[in-house]
Protein backbone atom coordinates (compact mmCIF):
# COMPACT_ATOMS: atom_id res chain seq x y z
CA UNK A 1 0.00 0.00 0.00
CA UNK A 2 1.38 3.45 -0.88
CA UNK A 3 2.40 5.78 1.88
CA UNK A 4 0.70 9.13 1.68
CA UNK A 5 2.82 12.27 2.15
CA UNK A 6 0.88 13.12 5.30
CA UNK A 7 1.89 9.81 6.90
CA UNK A 8 5.61 10.24 6.25
CA UNK A 9 6.33 12.79 9.02
CA UNK A 10 4.51 10.62 11.54
CA UNK A 11 6.62 7.61 10.58
CA UNK A 12 9.78 9.64 10.88
CA UNK A 13 8.68 11.02 14.21
CA UNK A 14 7.91 7.53 15.47
CA UNK A 15 11.33 6.30 14.31
CA UNK A 16 13.11 9.11 16.15
CA UNK A 17 10.99 8.53 19.25
CA UNK A 18 11.68 4.79 19.18
CA UNK A 19 15.42 5.40 18.78
CA UNK A 20 15.47 7.82 21.69
CA UNK A 21 13.55 5.37 23.86
CA UNK A 22 15.97 2.57 22.96
CA UNK A 23 18.92 4.83 23.75
CA UNK A 24 17.55 5.74 27.17
CA UNK A 25 18.93 3.59 29.97
CA UNK A 26 18.15 4.95 33.42
CA UNK A 27 20.89 2.86 35.03
CA UNK A 28 23.53 4.77 33.05
CA UNK A 29 22.22 8.00 34.53
CA UNK A 30 22.42 6.30 37.92
CA UNK A 31 26.13 5.63 37.39
CA UNK A 32 26.61 9.38 37.14
CA UNK A 33 25.22 9.56 40.66
CA UNK A 34 27.86 7.05 41.79
CA UNK A 35 30.63 9.11 40.19
CA UNK A 36 29.43 12.44 41.61
CA UNK A 37 28.70 11.13 45.11
CA UNK A 38 32.05 9.36 45.23
CA UNK A 39 33.86 12.62 44.47
CA UNK A 40 31.72 14.51 47.02
CA UNK A 41 32.43 11.89 49.68
CA UNK A 42 36.14 12.22 48.98
CA UNK A 43 36.10 15.99 49.37
CA UNK A 44 33.90 15.77 52.47
CA UNK A 45 36.49 13.42 53.92
CA UNK A 46 39.31 15.84 53.09
CA UNK A 47 37.43 18.84 54.50
CA UNK A 48 36.76 16.87 57.69
CA UNK A 49 40.50 16.23 58.14
CA UNK A 50 40.75 12.65 56.74
CA UNK A 51 39.07 10.87 59.67
CA UNK A 52 39.01 7.10 60.08
CA UNK A 53 35.66 5.84 58.81
CA UNK A 54 35.33 2.57 60.70
CA UNK A 55 31.96 2.29 62.48
CA UNK A 56 32.98 -1.18 63.67
CA UNK A 57 36.11 -3.27 63.95
CA UNK A 58 35.02 -5.34 60.95
CA UNK A 59 34.11 -2.56 58.48
CA UNK A 60 36.36 0.27 57.37
CA UNK A 61 35.05 2.58 54.66
CA UNK A 62 38.13 4.80 54.69
CA UNK A 63 39.84 3.17 51.65
CA UNK A 64 36.68 3.47 49.55
CA UNK A 65 36.18 7.13 50.40
CA UNK A 66 39.89 7.91 50.02
CA UNK A 67 39.67 6.65 46.44
CA UNK A 68 36.76 8.95 45.66
CA UNK A 69 38.75 10.89 43.08
CA UNK A 70 38.21 7.88 40.80
CA UNK A 71 34.69 9.19 40.32
CA UNK A 72 36.12 11.53 37.68
CA UNK A 73 37.53 8.55 35.77
CA UNK A 74 34.07 6.98 35.89
CA UNK A 75 32.63 10.20 34.41
CA UNK A 76 35.14 10.16 31.55
CA UNK A 77 34.55 6.53 30.58
CA UNK A 78 30.81 6.99 30.90
CA UNK A 79 30.93 10.05 28.62
CA UNK A 80 32.55 8.05 25.83
CA UNK A 81 30.08 5.22 26.32
CA UNK A 82 26.88 7.28 26.43
CA UNK A 83 27.71 9.51 23.45
CA UNK A 84 28.62 6.48 21.34
CA UNK A 85 25.56 4.58 22.56
CA UNK A 86 23.39 7.47 21.38
CA UNK A 87 25.18 7.72 18.04
CA UNK A 88 24.71 3.98 17.41
CA UNK A 89 20.99 4.38 18.09
CA UNK A 90 20.68 7.16 15.51
CA UNK A 91 17.56 6.32 13.44
CA UNK A 92 19.40 7.22 10.23
CA UNK A 93 21.74 4.26 10.67
CA UNK A 94 25.42 3.66 11.32
CA UNK A 95 26.60 5.79 8.40
CA UNK A 96 24.91 8.96 9.64
CA UNK A 97 28.10 10.79 10.59
CA UNK A 98 29.94 9.59 7.50
CA UNK A 99 27.50 11.03 4.99
CA UNK A 100 27.79 14.36 3.23
CA UNK A 101 26.02 15.88 6.23
CA UNK A 102 28.99 15.06 8.47
CA UNK A 103 30.07 18.63 9.19
CA UNK A 104 26.50 19.76 9.76
CA UNK A 105 26.03 16.89 12.21
CA UNK A 106 29.35 17.70 13.89
CA UNK A 107 28.34 21.32 14.30
CA UNK A 108 24.97 20.32 15.74
CA UNK A 109 26.71 17.96 18.16
CA UNK A 110 29.11 20.64 19.40
CA UNK A 111 26.25 23.14 19.76
CA UNK A 112 24.32 20.66 21.87
CA UNK A 113 27.39 20.07 24.02
CA UNK A 114 27.78 23.82 24.53
CA UNK A 115 24.19 24.05 25.73
CA UNK A 116 24.74 21.03 27.96
CA UNK A 117 27.96 21.96 29.76
CA UNK A 118 28.37 25.72 29.57
CA UNK A 119 25.34 27.21 31.39
CA UNK A 120 25.99 25.57 34.78
CA UNK A 121 29.72 26.13 34.32
CA UNK A 122 29.22 29.84 33.62
CA UNK A 123 26.87 30.04 36.60
CA UNK A 124 29.61 28.82 38.93
CA UNK A 125 32.06 31.25 37.37
CA UNK A 126 29.53 34.07 37.81
CA UNK A 127 29.51 33.38 41.54
CA UNK A 128 33.15 32.44 42.17
CA UNK A 129 34.80 35.21 40.17
CA UNK A 130 33.19 38.08 42.14
CA UNK A 131 33.81 36.23 45.40
CA UNK A 132 37.42 35.84 44.38
CA UNK A 133 37.79 39.51 43.52
CA UNK A 134 36.29 40.34 46.93
CA UNK A 135 38.74 38.04 48.67
CA UNK A 136 36.13 35.60 49.96
CA UNK A 137 37.59 32.70 47.93
CA UNK A 138 40.94 32.42 46.10
CA UNK A 139 40.87 34.83 43.14
CA UNK A 140 41.78 33.97 39.54
CA UNK A 141 45.38 34.51 38.52
CA UNK A 142 44.44 37.30 36.11
CA UNK A 143 42.51 38.05 32.95
CA UNK A 144 44.41 35.35 31.05
CA UNK A 145 43.28 32.82 33.63
CA UNK A 146 39.66 33.89 33.21
CA UNK A 147 39.89 33.92 29.41
CA UNK A 148 41.28 30.38 29.24
CA UNK A 149 38.67 29.15 31.72
CA UNK A 150 35.92 30.62 29.56
CA UNK A 151 37.03 28.50 26.60
CA UNK A 152 37.96 25.52 28.83
CA UNK A 153 41.60 25.60 27.76
CA UNK A 154 43.07 26.51 31.14
CA UNK A 155 44.98 23.21 31.15
CA UNK A 156 47.35 24.79 28.63
CA UNK A 157 48.92 26.82 31.45
CA UNK A 158 50.02 24.70 34.41
CA UNK A 159 49.43 27.54 36.88
CA UNK A 160 45.77 27.80 35.85
CA UNK A 161 44.76 24.12 36.11
CA UNK A 162 43.29 24.31 39.64
CA UNK A 163 42.55 28.01 40.05
CA UNK A 164 39.06 29.45 40.78
CA UNK A 165 37.52 26.03 41.53
CA UNK A 166 39.70 22.94 42.05
CA UNK A 167 37.26 20.69 40.20
CA UNK A 168 37.65 22.73 37.03
CA UNK A 169 40.81 20.75 36.22
CA UNK A 170 38.66 18.07 34.56
CA UNK A 171 36.64 20.39 32.33
CA UNK A 172 39.23 20.71 29.50
CA UNK A 173 39.44 16.91 29.20
CA UNK A 174 35.70 16.60 28.74
CA UNK A 175 35.39 19.60 26.44
CA UNK A 176 38.32 18.60 24.21
CA UNK A 177 36.82 15.12 23.92
CA UNK A 178 33.57 16.67 22.71
CA UNK A 179 35.45 18.61 20.05
CA UNK A 180 37.10 15.51 18.58
CA UNK A 181 34.22 13.08 19.15
CA UNK A 182 32.68 13.58 15.68
CA UNK A 183 35.97 12.30 14.27
CA UNK A 184 36.54 9.57 16.83
CA UNK A 185 33.08 8.11 16.20
CA UNK A 186 33.82 7.43 12.53
CA UNK A 187 35.80 4.19 13.11
CA UNK A 188 33.02 2.94 15.40
CA UNK A 189 30.35 3.65 12.80
CA UNK A 190 32.52 1.93 10.18
CA UNK A 191 32.90 -1.09 12.51
CA UNK A 192 36.59 -0.43 13.00
CA UNK A 193 36.33 0.04 16.76
CA UNK A 194 39.50 -1.99 17.40
CA UNK A 195 41.52 0.62 15.50
CA UNK A 196 40.12 3.42 17.62
CA UNK A 197 40.78 1.48 20.83
CA UNK A 198 44.34 0.57 19.85
CA UNK A 199 45.17 4.12 18.80
CA UNK A 200 43.65 5.83 21.81
CA UNK A 201 45.16 3.44 24.35
CA UNK A 202 48.59 3.67 22.67
CA UNK A 203 48.57 7.47 22.84
CA UNK A 204 47.54 7.40 26.50
CA UNK A 205 50.15 4.78 27.44
CA UNK A 206 52.91 6.81 25.82
CA UNK A 207 51.78 9.92 27.69
CA UNK A 208 51.52 8.02 30.98
CA UNK A 209 54.97 6.43 30.50
CA UNK A 210 56.49 9.91 30.70
CA UNK A 211 54.88 10.34 34.11
CA UNK A 212 55.78 6.80 35.17
CA UNK A 213 59.45 7.31 34.35
CA UNK A 214 60.06 10.91 35.35
CA UNK A 215 57.24 11.62 37.78
CA UNK A 216 54.12 13.69 37.07
CA UNK A 217 54.51 16.95 35.21
CA UNK A 218 52.46 19.26 33.03
CA UNK A 219 51.56 16.36 30.73
CA UNK A 220 49.02 14.96 33.19
CA UNK A 221 46.73 17.94 32.52
CA UNK A 222 46.60 17.32 28.75
CA UNK A 223 43.93 15.39 26.86
CA UNK A 224 46.22 12.65 25.43
CA UNK A 225 47.05 11.59 28.99
CA UNK A 226 43.44 10.43 29.57
CA UNK A 227 42.22 9.71 26.05
CA UNK A 228 42.19 5.98 26.89
CA UNK A 229 39.24 6.46 29.24
CA UNK A 230 37.11 8.10 26.60
CA UNK A 231 37.93 5.63 23.82
CA UNK A 232 37.48 2.65 26.15
CA UNK A 233 33.99 3.96 26.90
CA UNK A 234 33.36 4.38 23.17
CA UNK A 235 34.62 0.89 22.41
CA UNK A 236 32.44 -0.61 25.15
CA UNK A 237 29.32 0.86 23.55
CA UNK A 238 29.79 -1.13 20.35
CA UNK A 239 29.29 -4.64 21.82
CA UNK A 240 26.61 -3.26 24.12
CA UNK A 241 24.57 -2.19 21.09
CA UNK A 242 25.63 -4.63 18.38
CA UNK A 243 26.90 -7.61 20.32
CA UNK A 244 23.61 -9.32 20.96
CA UNK A 245 24.72 -10.18 24.47
CA UNK A 246 22.33 -12.24 26.56
CA UNK A 247 20.80 -10.97 29.78
CA UNK A 248 22.98 -13.44 31.67
CA UNK A 249 26.16 -12.01 30.15
CA UNK A 250 25.01 -8.48 30.99
CA UNK A 251 24.33 -9.58 34.57
CA UNK A 252 27.76 -11.19 34.92
CA UNK A 253 29.48 -8.09 33.56
CA UNK A 254 27.47 -5.78 35.84
CA UNK A 255 28.26 -7.80 38.96
CA UNK A 256 31.93 -8.27 38.01
CA UNK A 257 32.29 -4.55 37.31
CA UNK A 258 30.67 -3.56 40.61
CA UNK A 259 32.73 -6.10 42.59
CA UNK A 260 35.95 -5.07 40.85
CA UNK A 261 35.24 -1.42 41.62
CA UNK A 262 34.87 -2.09 45.35
CA UNK A 263 37.65 -4.66 45.76
CA UNK A 264 39.99 -2.78 43.46
CA UNK A 265 39.47 0.48 45.34
CA UNK A 266 40.46 -1.24 48.57
CA UNK A 267 43.53 -2.80 46.94
CA UNK A 268 44.66 0.42 45.27
CA UNK A 269 44.16 2.44 48.46
CA UNK A 270 46.41 -0.04 50.29
CA UNK A 271 49.14 -0.26 47.63
CA UNK A 272 49.01 3.01 45.71
CA UNK A 273 47.67 5.86 47.83
CA UNK A 274 49.34 8.59 45.78
CA UNK A 275 47.37 9.79 42.77
CA UNK A 276 50.32 9.40 40.40
CA UNK A 277 53.93 8.42 41.01
CA UNK A 278 56.87 6.89 39.14
CA UNK A 279 56.63 3.15 38.49
CA UNK A 280 54.39 0.60 36.79
CA UNK A 281 51.65 0.38 39.43
CA UNK A 282 49.75 3.50 38.27
CA UNK A 283 49.64 2.06 34.74
CA UNK A 284 48.10 -1.12 36.13
CA UNK A 285 45.63 1.01 38.05
CA UNK A 286 44.63 2.85 34.86
CA UNK A 287 44.05 -0.47 33.05
CA UNK A 288 41.97 -1.72 35.99
CA UNK A 289 39.64 1.30 36.07
CA UNK A 290 39.20 1.23 32.28
CA UNK A 291 38.26 -2.46 32.23
CA UNK A 292 36.14 -2.27 35.39
CA UNK A 293 33.95 0.64 34.35
CA UNK A 294 33.61 -0.75 30.80
CA UNK A 295 32.29 -4.02 32.23
CA UNK A 296 29.94 -2.18 34.56
CA UNK A 297 28.34 0.06 31.94
CA UNK A 298 27.93 -2.76 29.41
CA UNK A 299 26.27 -4.84 32.11
CA UNK A 300 23.88 -2.05 33.02
CA UNK A 301 22.42 -1.91 29.52
CA UNK A 302 20.17 -4.83 30.43
CA UNK A 303 17.52 -4.15 33.05
CA UNK A 304 17.38 -7.82 34.04
CA UNK A 305 19.97 -7.79 36.82
CA UNK A 306 20.12 -6.47 40.35
CA UNK A 307 22.94 -4.00 39.73
CA UNK A 308 21.04 -2.35 36.88
CA UNK A 309 17.85 -2.23 38.92
CA UNK A 310 19.69 -0.52 41.77
CA UNK A 311 21.16 2.16 39.53
CA UNK A 312 17.74 2.64 37.92
CA UNK A 313 16.06 3.45 41.25
CA UNK A 314 14.30 6.81 41.09
CA UNK A 315 16.41 8.55 43.81
CA UNK A 316 19.64 7.32 42.20
CA UNK A 317 18.54 8.47 38.75
CA UNK A 318 17.57 11.86 40.18
CA UNK A 319 21.03 12.26 41.70
CA UNK A 320 22.52 11.27 38.36
CA UNK A 321 20.35 13.83 36.59
CA UNK A 322 21.74 16.67 38.70
CA UNK A 323 25.23 15.12 38.95
CA UNK A 324 26.92 17.70 36.71
CA UNK A 325 25.74 20.53 38.94
CA UNK A 326 26.74 18.49 41.99
CA UNK A 327 30.24 18.15 40.58
CA UNK A 328 30.60 21.84 39.74
CA UNK A 329 29.15 23.26 42.95
CA UNK A 330 30.05 20.77 45.67
CA UNK A 331 33.59 21.81 46.56
CA UNK A 332 33.07 25.60 46.85
CA UNK A 333 29.81 24.90 48.71
CA UNK A 334 31.58 22.55 51.15
CA UNK A 335 34.41 25.00 51.75
CA UNK A 336 32.09 27.96 52.30
CA UNK A 337 29.84 25.88 54.57
CA UNK A 338 32.90 24.89 56.59
CA UNK A 339 33.97 28.51 56.95
CA UNK A 340 30.48 29.67 57.91
CA UNK A 341 30.11 26.90 60.49
CA UNK A 342 33.68 27.20 61.67
CA UNK A 343 32.83 29.01 64.89
CA UNK A 344 30.17 26.44 65.79
CA UNK A 345 31.88 23.19 64.79
CA UNK A 346 33.59 22.81 68.14
CA UNK A 347 30.22 22.42 69.86
CA UNK A 348 28.48 20.38 67.13
CA UNK A 349 28.95 16.69 66.32
CA UNK A 350 31.09 16.27 63.18
CA UNK A 351 28.47 14.03 61.56
CA UNK A 352 25.87 16.77 62.00
CA UNK A 353 28.13 19.38 60.42
CA UNK A 354 28.90 17.11 57.47
CA UNK A 355 25.20 16.39 57.02
CA UNK A 356 24.44 20.11 56.86
CA UNK A 357 27.20 20.57 54.28
CA UNK A 358 25.93 17.66 52.18
CA UNK A 359 22.36 19.02 52.28
CA UNK A 360 23.67 22.41 51.18
CA UNK A 361 25.40 20.77 48.22
CA UNK A 362 22.18 19.01 47.20
CA UNK A 363 20.12 22.17 47.51
CA UNK A 364 22.52 24.32 45.49
CA UNK A 365 22.96 21.61 42.86
CA UNK A 366 19.22 21.04 42.44
CA UNK A 367 18.68 24.77 42.07
CA UNK A 368 21.45 24.93 39.49
CA UNK A 369 19.96 22.08 37.48
CA UNK A 370 16.34 23.21 37.45
CA UNK A 371 17.02 26.94 37.11
CA UNK A 372 19.98 26.86 34.73
CA UNK A 373 20.91 23.50 33.22
CA UNK A 374 17.48 22.26 32.16
CA UNK A 375 16.17 25.53 30.64
CA UNK A 376 19.24 25.76 28.39
CA UNK A 377 19.64 22.09 27.50
CA UNK A 378 16.04 20.85 27.37
CA UNK A 379 13.66 23.81 27.56
CA UNK A 380 10.11 22.92 28.50
CA UNK A 381 7.20 23.08 26.12
CA UNK A 382 5.87 26.08 28.03
CA UNK A 383 8.97 28.10 27.12
CA UNK A 384 8.61 30.61 24.31
CA UNK A 385 9.32 29.51 20.76
CA UNK A 386 12.17 32.05 20.64
CA UNK A 387 13.88 30.48 23.66
CA UNK A 388 13.39 26.94 22.38
CA UNK A 389 15.33 27.87 19.25
CA UNK A 390 18.90 26.55 19.77
CA UNK A 391 20.43 29.66 18.21
CA UNK A 392 18.80 31.87 20.83
CA UNK A 393 20.14 29.79 23.70
CA UNK A 394 23.57 29.55 22.09
CA UNK A 395 23.67 33.33 21.67
CA UNK A 396 22.73 33.70 25.36
CA UNK A 397 25.65 31.46 26.37
CA UNK A 398 28.10 33.44 24.22
CA UNK A 399 26.81 36.75 25.61
CA UNK A 400 27.06 35.42 29.15
CA UNK A 401 30.68 34.41 28.64
CA UNK A 402 31.48 37.77 27.03
CA UNK A 403 30.02 39.61 30.04
CA UNK A 404 32.24 37.62 32.39
CA UNK A 405 35.30 38.45 30.28
CA UNK A 406 34.39 42.15 30.26
CA UNK A 407 33.94 42.01 34.04
CA UNK A 408 37.43 40.49 34.38
CA UNK A 409 38.92 43.20 32.16
CA UNK A 410 37.13 45.91 34.14
CA UNK A 411 38.39 44.49 37.44
CA UNK A 412 41.96 44.37 36.10
CA UNK A 413 42.01 48.10 35.29
Amino acid sequence: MAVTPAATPSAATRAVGAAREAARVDALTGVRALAACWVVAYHLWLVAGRPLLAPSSHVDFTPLVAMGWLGVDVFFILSGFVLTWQALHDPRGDAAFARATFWRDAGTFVRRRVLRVYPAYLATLSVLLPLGWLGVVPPPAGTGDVALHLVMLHNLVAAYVTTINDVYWSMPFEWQFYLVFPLLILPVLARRTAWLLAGGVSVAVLAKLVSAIHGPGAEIAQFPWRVDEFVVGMAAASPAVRGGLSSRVHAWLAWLGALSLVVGAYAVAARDPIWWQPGALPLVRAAWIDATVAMLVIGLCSRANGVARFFALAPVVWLGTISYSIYLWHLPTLLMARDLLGHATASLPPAFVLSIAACAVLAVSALSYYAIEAPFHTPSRTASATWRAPRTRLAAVVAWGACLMLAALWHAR
Side-chain angles (χ1 to χ4, degrees):
M1 188 171 100
V3 177
T4 64
T8 304
S10 297
T13 301
R14 285 196 299 271
V16 172
R20 287 177 177 174
E21 183 62 27
R24 177 181 174 181
V25 179
D26 287 341
L28 295 177
T29 303
V31 175
R32 295 178 61 84
L34 166 68
C37 291
W38 207 3
V39 174
V40 173
Y42 172 64
H43 284 137
L44 268 172
W45 180 68
L46 293 181
V47 170
R50 302 171 186 253
L52 180 66
L53 304 174
S56 72
S57 58
H58 303 291
V59 180
D60 183 7
F61 293 105
T62 310
L64 281 178
V65 175
M67 295 297 294
W69 43 266
L70 282 172
V72 179
D73 301 86
V74 176
F75 270 129
F76 289 160
I77 298 170
L78 188 61
S79 286
F81 184 91
V82 170
L83 291 177
T84 305
W85 172 271
Q86 293 171 344
L88 292 179
H89 281 88
D90 192 301
R92 296 169 299 173
D94 282 1
F97 276 84
R99 292 175 181 171
T101 58
F102 168 73
W103 289 112
R104 185 192 69 193
D105 289 342
T108 300
F109 170 80
V110 172
R111 183 195 68 205
R112 289 174 177 169
R113 291 294 91 193
V114 169
L115 295 176
R116 176 68 182 89
V117 303
Y118 258 96
Y121 177 69
L122 292 177
T124 57
L125 281 172
S126 298
V127 172
L128 295 176
L129 287 177
L131 290 178
W133 293 327
L134 293 172
V136 178
V137 299
T143 54
D145 187 9
V146 175
L148 287 178
H149 269 83
L150 286 174
V151 292
M152 294 191 193
L153 291 176
H154 46 282
N155 61 327
L156 298 181
V157 179
Y160 298 164
V161 173
T162 57
T163 57
I164 306 177
N165 185 354
D166 280 357
V167 302
Y168 284 168
W169 71 267
S170 66
M171 300 306 295
F173 290 103
E174 193 83 23
W175 180 245
Q176 287 156 26
F177 169 62
Y178 294 156
L179 294 179
V180 298
F181 176 79
L183 292 175
L184 295 180
I185 193 64
L186 293 177
V188 181
L189 297 177
R191 299 179 183 269
R192 297 290 187 270
T193 306
W195 289 95
L196 171 69
L197 184 62
V201 170
S202 297
V203 169
V205 168
L206 289 174
K208 286 177 167 68
L209 278 174
V210 175
S211 303
I213 295 171
H214 302 291
E219 76 283 347
I220 66 176
Q222 305 309 314
F223 177 68
W225 203 85
R226 286 184 183 264
V227 69
D228 59 306
E229 296 180 341
F230 294 102
V231 299
V232 163
M234 294 180 68
S238 184
V241 176
R242 299 164 168 163
L245 304 177
S246 67
S247 297
R248 179 173 294 183
V249 172
H250 278 287
W252 273 105
L253 289 173
W255 282 107
L256 283 174
L259 183 63
S260 176
L261 201 60
V262 175
V263 174
Y266 267 95
V268 171
R271 296 289 303 276
D272 188 22
I274 302 176
W275 182 65
W276 193 265
Q277 58 189 350
L281 194 57
L283 289 171
V284 174
R285 183 185 66 197
W288 157 69
I289 193 67
D290 284 351
T292 292
V293 180
M295 286 192 298
L296 178 62
V297 294
I298 292 174
L300 294 180
C301 293
S302 171
R303 298 174 176 86
N305 63 77
V307 181
R309 286 193 292 270
F310 168 78
F311 281 109
L313 291 172
V316 181
V317 173
W318 180 75
L319 286 172
T321 302
I322 67 169
S323 60
Y324 179 53
S325 282
I326 289 176
Y327 182 75
L328 288 176
W329 287 102
H330 80 274
L331 188 54
T333 302
L334 289 177
L335 294 175
M336 285 188 277
R338 179 197 62 184
D339 294 341
L340 290 172
L341 295 172
H343 65 284
T345 53
S347 59
L348 295 174
F352 179 74
V353 175
L354 293 178
S355 298
I356 293 176
C359 289
V361 169
L362 277 180
V364 171
S365 302
L367 177 64
S368 172
Y369 175 78
Y370 290 110
I372 300 167
E373 275 192 74
F376 273 92
H377 184 234
T378 52
S380 68
R381 294 179 180 179
T382 59
S384 67
T386 301
W387 181 253
R388 290 200 304 270
R391 289 184 178 180
T392 302
R393 288 175 278 135
L394 186 63
V397 169
V398 173
W400 192 350
C403 288
L404 289 175
M405 190 66 240
L406 290 173
L409 292 170
W410 180 84
H411 181 267
R413 288 190 311 166

